[in-house]
Amino acid sequence: MASQTPIQSQLESSNEKYASTFTKGHLALPPAKKYAVVTCMDARIDPAAAYGIELGDAHIIRNAGGNAQDALRSLVISEQLLGTEEILLVKHTGCGMLTFDNATAAGLVRQNLGDAGVKELARFAGDFQTFADLEAAVRSDVEFLKGSPLIPETVAISGWIYAVETGKVRKVV
Amino acid sequence: MASQTPIQSQLESSNEKYASTFTKGHLALPPAKKYAVVTCMDARIDPAAAYGIELGDAHIIRNAGGNAQDALRSLVISEQLLGTEEILLVKHTGCGMLTFDNATAAGLVRQNLGDAGVKELARFAGDFQTFADLEAAVRSDVEFLKGSPLIPETVAISGWIYAVETGKVRKVV
């Protein structure tokens, strides 16, 4: 086993405290409130607190940008296997995906990881899923999900923007 | 705009309370502690609380199973664009991905969504990324990341299991 890093030690000591007062071991596998949230991996977002999600209530899918296509496998499992019936997609202000484009990202990979890295980008079709307009990206991801043959028409889908500067969320669509 | 669902109304009312006492609007985009966590979308996991992650400290990537391949695009962005240097991959007991296999999932899609749905599974190569052995899955995902030309060798990568019954996390590798 590799030697312990400070981050790993912190995980262990924090978790020890968490587990010592943990009382939710009885929760069922399927989300109690039957919904799924797709949002960004951004460090400034705490979806449980900011979006009011109690433990056991909802699937929370997070990736760079709160990207719907990236979340598709998880959403199909959420709905077909675990009974969720609603999707909330939440992107946010100040997102990293607004600050660079595919060419910039691919250039950094070439510079830092060489041709072997660039070749491996094929795993996600070389598409970092960046976007230039936040509200348009929310709308287009909601449209993608509404149009997907993998998401039943009965699933309610809404799109939101969370402001990392104020902690406020607003509905876009 | 579509009519409001109860879940959407709950998001709005919960968020109003959250934003009313929000004091973290100054946080920077790059994660302060320079690490990324990959974990499952499971409703019974609150990574911030259970893994001791303060707001602003780490990227949190979540998908069905805490799957490393699915997280690859996000991890490349996390490291190449936003400066993270360590990955913690945390799968968990009682994971839905242990309870079914690809054939079962594809069968449900065919039954509920028809041939159009089945065809669309090509978007993730028809691979739901299920697994039969939890600890082996942690090890194999860590190996995948360690072997990936997209993850620099300097990145520390560890693998963990969170027990939803007790709230306890333990290191696997």
Side-chain angles (χ1 to χ4, degrees), chain A residues 75-93:
Chain A
L75 286 171
V76 173
I77 291 167
S78 180
E79 279 146 29
Q80 295 301 315
L81 280 301
L82 294 165
T84 59
E85 298 167 350
E86 177 161 355
I87 300 169
L88 278 65
L89 182 130
V90 193
K91 295 186 190 281
H92 67 98
T93 60

Side-chain angles (χ1 to χ4, degrees), chain B residues 7-83:
Chain B
I7 294 293
Q8 292 166 21
S9 298
Q10 184 205 294
L11 165 58
E12 286 182 343
S13 58
S14 300
N15 175 259
E16 202 169 324
K17 281 184 206 150
Y18 180 76
S20 72
T21 60
F22 185 75
T23 58
K24 304 280 185 174
H26 61 285
L27 296 173
L29 168 58
K33 290 202 175 152
K34 300 190 178 186
Y35 70 107
V37 173
V38 178
T39 198
C40 189
M41 68 178 179
D42 194 288
R44 296 165 296 178
I45 304 174
D46 180 349
Y51 311 158
I53 307 166
E54 298 286 329
L55 202 68
D57 276 359
H59 284 141
I60 303 179
I61 300 160
R62 301 182 65 175
N63 60 46
N67 183 268
Q69 291 187 55
D70 227 45
L72 196 57
R73 178 187 66 91
S74 298
L75 286 171
V76 173
I77 291 166
S78 181
E79 279 147 28
Q80 296 301 317
L81 280 301
L82 295 165

Side-chain angles (χ1 to χ4, degrees), chain A residues 35 58 68 70 83 87 91 103 128 133 141 155 158 164 171-172:
Chain A
Y35 71 107
D70 228 43
I87 300 169
K91 295 186 190 281
F128 288 91
D133 180 318
D141 268 20
V155 171
S158 53
V164 295
K171 194 173 182 182
V172 173

Side-chain angles (χ1 to χ4, degrees), chain A residues 1-12 14-15 18-19 22 24-33 35 40-46 48-65 67 69-70 72-78 80-82 86 88 90 92 94-97 99-100 104-105 108-109 112-113 116-118 120-121 123-124 127-130 144 146 148-152 156-158 160 162-169 171-173, chain B residues 1-12 14-15 18-19 22 24-33 35 40-46 48-65 67 69-70 72-78 80-82 86 88 90 92 94-97 99-100 104-105 108-109 112-113 116-118 120-121 123-124 127-130 144 146 148-152 156-158 160 162-169 171-173:
Chain A
M1 188 174 292
S3 64
Q4 190 92 337
T5 69
I7 294 295
Q8 291 166 21
S9 299
Q10 185 205 293
L11 165 58
E12 286 182 343
S14 301
N15 175 259
Y18 179 76
F22 184 74
K24 303 280 186 174
H26 61 283
L27 295 172
L29 169 57
K33 289 201 175 154
Y35 71 107
C40 189
M41 67 178 180
D42 194 286
R44 298 164 294 178
I45 304 175
D46 181 348
Y51 311 158
I53 306 168
E54 297 288 327
L55 202 67
D57 276 359
H59 284 141
I60 303 179
I61 300 160
R62 301 182 66 174
N63 60 45
N67 183 268
Q69 290 186 56
D70 228 43
L72 196 56
R73 179 187 65 92
S74 298
L75 286 171
V76 173
I77 291 167
S78 180
Q80 295 301 315
L81 280 301
L82 294 165
E86 177 161 355
L88 278 65
V90 193
H92 67 98
C95 186
M97 310 304 283
T99 65
F100 62 93
T104 306
L108 275 172
V109 168
N112 297 334
L113 301 166
V118 172
E120 198 71 3
L121 294 180
R123 284 191 179 264
F124 47 89
D127 190 349
F128 288 91
Q129 304 273 356
T130 61
F144 168 78
K146 286 190 173 173
S148 172
L150 284 170
I151 309 291
I157 305 172
S158 53
W160 307 72
Y162 173 75
V164 295
E165 301 83 2
T166 61
K168 283 184 190 165
V169 77
K171 194 173 182 182
V172 173
V173 62
Chain B
M1 188 173 291
S3 64
Q4 189 92 337
T5 69
I7 294 293
Q8 292 166 21
S9 298
Q10 184 205 294
L11 165 58
E12 286 182 343
S14 300
N15 175 259
Y18 180 76
F22 185 75
K24 304 280 185 174
H26 61 285
L27 296 173
L29 168 58
K33 290 202 175 152
Y35 70 107
C40 189
M41 68 178 179
D42 194 288
R44 296 165 296 178
I45 304 174
D46 180 349
Y51 311 158
I53 307 166
E54 298 286 329
L55 202 68
D57 276 359
H59 284 141
I60 303 179
I61 300 160
R62 301 182 65 175
N63 60 46
N67 183 268
Q69 291 187 55
D70 227 45
L72 196 57
R73 178 187 66 91
S74 298
L75 286 171
V76 173
I77 291 166
S78 181
Q80 296 301 317
L81 280 301
L82 295 165
E86 178 162 354
L88 278 64
V90 193
H92 67 98
C95 186
M97 310 304 283
T99 65
F100 62 93
T104 306
L108 275 172
V109 168
N112 297 334
L113 301 166
V118 172
E120 198 71 1
L121 295 180
R123 283 189 180 265
F124 47 90
D127 190 350
F128 287 91
Q129 303 273 358
T130 62
F144 168 78
K146 286 190 172 172
S148 172
L150 284 170
I151 310 290
I157 306 174
S158 54
W160 307 72
Y162 174 75
V164 295
E165 302 83 2
T166 62
K168 284 184 189 162
V169 76
K171 193 173 183 181
V172 173
V173 63

